[in-house]
Amino acid sequence: MKSYSQAATFSLTLLSIFGANASSPIRMTPEQLEFNVNTEMAMLRADGTFAQLAKCSNKSEEIIANGYKALLPKCLTADPASIQSCYLTGIQKITGLSKTQLEICEEELGPDSSEQIELVERQLEELNIEQAKLENNDELSEEDQQRLDSIAAQIDELNGQLGSLYDAQESESVRDLEIMNAEMRRINKTLESIEKHEAHNLPTDLEQPWTDSPPSFAHLPENEREAKRSQWVICSNMTTDATLVAETIGSVKRQPKAFAVTDEQNQQQLRSLYSASHGTFLDQIDNKIMEIGLKQWQQAHTTLGTHNVAKMAWEWCQAQPSIQFVNLDDSRL
């Protein structure tokens, strides 16, 4: 279930499709507003948000959905700084629930896949730290060895959970993308159908370290271990963004009549997302993401091709000095 703050963030993400200025009230054509409203309504219905709000408020799902649909145009065209408060105030009026009651309602549905992934990754990080400290001991007691065995078993179990959660997150992303494409195509009836490309089967022995959890790096001093773990996670995120950019550019270039944006508009929007204006090492990461996407888009329409793009991003990122990744916030990636 999306909270009101998640809905606000989601709205800004949708609006970025149209190159909206995030520092001023959004200006959209009636068609753009219709697209945003209908897409967000479909996504919130699909993820169970309306059903959960109806359950918590003892109102029908239809009443909740109709109220939300009436609220959206106001929030979507509000000053970005006030979008969150627009959603909160509006949802409270629709449901009759207080902010605390809304938070409880959200918790009852349970965390979404992103929140679960964050929780498992945090647990893995704590276990890796504990494992590294024990392994650095010159003499391990029997109790220490038992604890190490227990940690190894827990890490294996959590890695299995993480794999399932990544699959669930990918399914959610595919669902949301399909909803957006369906709505875009409904409004733009003249668009061609998007071609589907056959995926190459990846060799079973192909290494994809960016899909694994960070190792413990137990052989390194503690400060270097932390830097390497951070680098591993950020490089993993970078591979996702590089393949996404390459696939997006390639899709529009190969089938210009299948999308509602031109190649130039598409690239401009991507550059606004990877704007290299953070004043940190993210600047170089952003630049490299765009560079790889623009050079490798031709191969990024098959499984093997996207693997090669990801590998290119991974190898560049892993070759950078680990110190660059200390305290680097890559939450945007």
Side-chain angles (χ1 to χ4, degrees), residues 3 20 28 83-84 93 106 117 127 130 140 149 159 167 171 191 197 206 225 229 245 252 268 275 294-295 297:
S3 67
M28 288 182 285
I83 285 181
Q84 183 168 324
K93 289 181 179 178
E106 180 184 355
I117 287 172
L127 287 172
E130 184 179 357
L140 287 177
D149 293 341
N159 279 328
D167 290 342
S171 296
L191 295 180
H197 301 273
L206 204 60
R225 287 201 302 268
R229 285 196 198 100
V245 169
V252 177
Q268 183 179 6
S275 56
L294 288 166
K295 288 183 178 179
W297 63 266

Side-chain angles (χ1 to χ4, degrees), residues 15 20-28 75-83:
L15 293 173
N21 185 341
S23 63
S24 61
I26 305 303
R27 299 183 184 278
M28 288 182 285
C75 294
L76 287 169
T77 55
D79 185 316
S82 64
I83 285 181

Side-chain angles (χ1 to χ4, degrees), residues 54-278:
K55 175 184 174 183
C56 295
S57 63
N58 291 320
K59 295 184 178 181
S60 72
E61 187 172 340
E62 183 180 3
I63 289 176
I64 298 296
N66 288 340
Y68 201 87
K69 188 170 185 177
L71 170 69
L72 279 173
K74 175 184 177 182
C75 294
L76 287 169
T77 55
D79 185 316
S82 64
I83 285 181
Q84 183 168 324
S85 61
C86 179
Y87 272 97
L88 174 57
T89 303
I91 295 173
Q92 284 179 299
K93 289 181 179 178
I94 295 167
T95 61
L97 301 173
S98 66
K99 180 180 178 180
T100 301
Q101 289 172 322
L102 282 172
E103 290 171 349
I104 294 173
C105 181
E106 180 184 355
E107 290 173 0
E108 288 177 354
L109 191 61
D112 62 18
S113 58
S114 296
E115 293 169 327
Q116 293 180 60
I117 287 172
E118 184 179 344
L119 175 61
V120 172
E121 287 180 338
R122 189 160 57 244
Q123 292 172 334
L124 278 169
E125 182 179 2
E126 292 171 355
L127 287 172
N128 280 323
I129 292 173
E130 184 179 357
Q131 183 184 56
K133 288 181 178 178
L134 287 171
E135 290 175 342
N136 280 339
N137 290 340
D138 294 331
E139 295 183 6
L140 287 177
S141 65
E142 183 177 346
E143 183 179 355
D144 288 339
Q145 188 58 57
Q146 289 176 348
R147 178 56 183 160
L148 272 175
D149 293 341
S150 174
I151 289 174
Q154 291 179 64
I155 288 175
D156 286 342
E157 182 181 352
L158 288 173
N159 279 328
Q161 293 180 24
L162 201 57
S164 298
L165 289 170
Y166 281 137
D167 290 342
Q169 187 179 56
E170 183 176 357
S171 296
E172 291 173 5
S173 298
V174 169
R175 179 203 65 197
D176 289 350
L177 183 60
E178 288 175 347
I179 289 172
M180 292 180 70
N181 281 339
E183 182 57 28
M184 181 70 78
R185 306 189 75 76
R186 190 191 68 78
I187 292 175
N188 297 275
K189 297 181 177 63
T190 59
L191 295 180
E192 293 180 353
S193 297
I194 299 175
E195 295 178 359
K196 292 186 177 180
H197 301 273
E198 291 187 14
H200 294 297
N201 292 324
L202 291 176
T204 55
D205 60 345
L206 204 60
E207 294 185 357
Q208 302 182 77
W210 53 89
T211 64
D212 298 333
S213 297
S216 66
F217 299 109
H219 61 289
L220 298 175
E222 185 172 354
N223 61 329
E224 293 182 32
R225 287 201 302 268
E226 293 304 312
K228 292 294 289 184
R229 285 196 198 100
S230 179
Q231 181 176 20
W232 187 285
V233 172
I234 291 172
C235 289
S236 177
N237 291 340
M238 181 186 174
T239 64
T240 301
D241 283 72
T243 54
L244 175 63
V245 169
E247 287 178 309
T248 303
I249 292 173
S251 295
V252 177
K253 279 183 175 293
R254 278 189 297 271
Q255 271 196 284
K257 294 182 179 180
F259 296 90
V261 294
T262 65
D263 177 39
E264 183 180 355
Q265 289 171 330
N266 181 49
Q267 291 190 35
Q268 183 179 6
Q269 290 161 11
L270 288 170
R271 287 192 179 93
S272 71
L273 291 175
Y274 301 97
S275 56
S277 60
H278 308 279

